[in-house]
Amino acid sequence: MSERRISRRQLLGGLGAAGAAGIAVGGLVGVASAERSEATDVEANVVPFHGAHQAGIVTVRPSYLVFAAYDAIAEDRDDLRALFAAWTREAELLTQGDPVGPVDGDVLAPPGDNGEAIGLGPANLTVTFGVGPSLFERDGVDRYGLAARRPEPLAELPVFGGDALDPARSGGDLCVQACADDPQVAFHAVRTMTRTARGAAVIRWQQLGFLPTHARDPKATPRNLLGFHDGTNDIRLDDRAALREHVWVGSDDGPAWMRGGTYAVTRRIRMLIEVWDRSSLDDQQQTIGRFKVTGAPLTGAREFDPPDLGAIGPEGEPTIAADAHIRLASSAENGGARILRRSYSFSDGVDPRLGQLDAGLFFVAFQRDPRTGFVPIQQRLAQLDALNEYIKHVGSAVFAIPPGVEPGGTIAAPLFA
């Protein structure tokens, strides 16, 4: 056996009673409603793990995010199947606020759970899993015999105009998204998954994110680091018709293992905050197309007033400029295309080369098909958006997010069967 190889017995042996307990806990929890925004038990701080769709998609966003992408190093498909089985059992436990193993067991062996989340509770933790296009084929090599099972929508994203992508912050064979109202709970989840993956997958990149603490109010739109509301025109979490049309893979879509799932696009968008902070309020508002304080479109009085893209100002120019961000991102300007945004702000210190803040938006968007969702919208934004003067896309990835599972099931099991 090579040093990197992990056998299914080794992988699952570390779970032992924890895996069995995960199944038992799942049985007690029951099946969540298809719409997570209605299923979340805020008082208990528990978001059910099981259901038709994975949690962490139409769940109200908790305050903190840890998103990790992995490169697969397993030697065969069976090891990947075992990894997802172990990850599923661990997620069942962690989302209940339970450790994945004993913390105070044999003093001569590493504890089954690292223990940094003891006493913190579930904290509305959600754990969401996905697979990237490179898992199916990398450099023309079908490493795991999965190439024929790759969904057509799971194609590598094109390089858009203005992209300054760092390969070390882009791509990935697998992904784990953990969101919680306690940053240590979210970190603990990804740390646990990474520990379990040892020998089967290694972290390629990781991103931490945060939101204003009021963001768990479904009626409140969080502000990004530019100071503007972010996601005012997003798909409502209770709009089941829009979610069916634009987010969930339908019963007529292929392949069968993805039906009820979705596709996630992630973009690490660095904001040139020092440049933005020197621009006038009028320039900022014209760039976005909204008033900064109220969030209302420049043609309205309240945040959720629909923007009048045909309105003309007193000087004969459009009130919402032709290159304003909200115009170019609107479904009306993109053939009806819509995506579900679930983004988080980030601040990763200072760029040592320039002495400027390395901060911005970790953009996460879910959609039924990136080819008709994110891609055409971003192509338009990349060409014309006035906001491009103040932002830079430095990381990019796309993942297939399989459907949820019932108690006892394993995420993505049909893919690896």
Side-chain angles (χ1 to χ4, degrees):
M1 179 181 294
S2 72
E3 292 183 355
R4 296 194 309 174
R5 179 174 170 79
I6 181 171
S7 72
R8 294 185 299 284
R9 181 174 300 173
Q10 288 174 312
L11 184 64
L12 296 174
L15 290 177
I23 298 175
V25 169
L28 292 174
V29 171
V31 180
S33 131
E35 305 307 332
R36 298 289 179 169
S37 59
E38 298 178 2
T40 303
D41 185 343
V42 176
E43 292 183 356
N45 295 321
V46 172
V47 179
F49 176 77
H50 302 104
H53 313 296
Q54 291 195 62
I57 301 168
V58 296
T59 316
V60 175
R61 279 178 290 178
S63 299
Y64 301 98
L65 161 86
V66 180
F67 195 107
Y70 298 80
D71 287 331
I73 60 173
E75 291 191 1
D76 57 44
R77 191 195 305 177
D78 286 342
D79 288 347
L80 291 174
R81 178 166 48 198
L83 174 61
F84 271 81
W87 274 357
T88 301
R89 301 289 85 78
E90 290 176 332
E92 290 171 332
L93 290 165
L94 293 170
T95 53
Q96 292 291 307
D98 296 326
V100 298
V103 181
D104 56 353
D106 185 350
V107 296
L108 298 180
D113 185 285
N114 295 310
E116 73 267 25
I118 292 175
L120 300 180
N124 289 303
L125 173 68
T126 61
V127 183
T128 314
F129 302 102
V131 295
S134 55
L135 181 69
F136 297 84
E137 186 174 342
R138 181 190 294 172
D139 299 327
V141 178
D142 181 5
R143 294 174 292 160
Y144 301 113
L146 296 173
R149 302 185 183 187
R150 182 183 68 82
E152 290 186 6
L154 187 63
E156 296 285 359
L157 297 175
V159 177
F160 301 97
D163 277 1
L165 302 181
D166 179 357
R169 295 184 181 271
S170 302
D173 296 331
L174 315 170
C175 74
V176 175
Q177 173 191 270
C179 302
D181 280 326
D182 187 297
Q184 195 148 308
V185 170
F187 175 82
H188 175 64
V190 171
R191 177 183 179 182
T192 299
M193 304 295 167
T194 303
R195 176 183 176 181
T196 298
R198 190 172 300 152
V202 295
I203 280 194
R204 180 179 179 87
W205 54 265
Q206 180 173 290
Q207 183 64 58
L208 279 64
F210 59 88
L211 290 175
T213 55
H214 76 270
R216 282 200 59 78
D217 179 357
K219 298 180 181 179
T221 309
R223 292 183 185 271
N224 58 35
L225 299 186
L226 299 181
F228 281 80
H229 288 294
D230 193 274
T232 296
N233 279 339
D234 210 354
I235 298 173
R236 288 176 54 89
L237 299 184
D238 59 358
D239 188 345
R240 299 190 179 193
L243 293 172
R244 283 195 300 269
E245 181 178 357
H246 298 288
V247 176
W248 304 127
V249 176
S251 58
D252 295 329
D253 299 337
W257 66 268
M258 270 298 295
R259 291 168 189 164
T262 186
Y263 295 90
V265 169
T266 69
R267 303 279 284 183
R268 189 179 190 271
I269 304 174
R270 183 172 174 184
M271 295 176 174
L272 308 180
I273 289 177
E274 290 80 4
V275 178
W276 178 260
D277 286 349
R278 292 194 294 269
S279 63
S280 69
L281 175 61
D282 182 64
D283 183 61
Q284 291 181 5
Q285 293 182 154
Q286 292 293 331
T287 296
I288 301 298
R290 292 186 179 276
F291 294 107
K292 191 165 193 175
V293 174
T294 65
L298 298 183
T299 56
R302 293 171 297 275
E303 179 186 356
F304 294 102
D305 289 346
D308 182 358
L309 300 180
I312 302 297
E315 298 183 2
E317 296 293 329
T319 305
I320 298 175
D323 59 357
H325 181 74
I326 69 165
R327 175 186 291 277
L328 296 172
S330 70
S331 60
E333 295 279 321
N334 291 282
R338 299 184 70 187
I339 56 179
L340 176 64
R341 295 165 52 96
R342 204 170 186 273
S343 305
Y344 283 78
S345 296
F346 71 85
S347 178
D348 291 337
V350 176
D351 184 336
R353 299 168 302 168
L354 304 174
Q356 297 177 338
L357 290 172
D358 182 6
L361 187 75
F362 185 66
F363 174 91
V364 183
F366 296 97
Q367 64 248 266
R368 187 172 180 172
D369 188 335
R371 299 171 302 176
T372 57
F374 173 79
V375 171
I377 294 173
Q378 182 57 31
Q379 285 174 332
R380 189 171 179 81
L381 290 171
Q383 293 173 356
L384 304 170
D385 193 1
L387 188 59
N388 292 334
E389 182 179 351
Y390 304 104
I391 62 174
K392 183 183 297 184
H393 291 245
V394 296
S396 180
V398 60
F399 299 96
I401 310 297
V405 294
E406 307 297 344
T410 292
I411 298 292
L415 168 62
F416 300 115

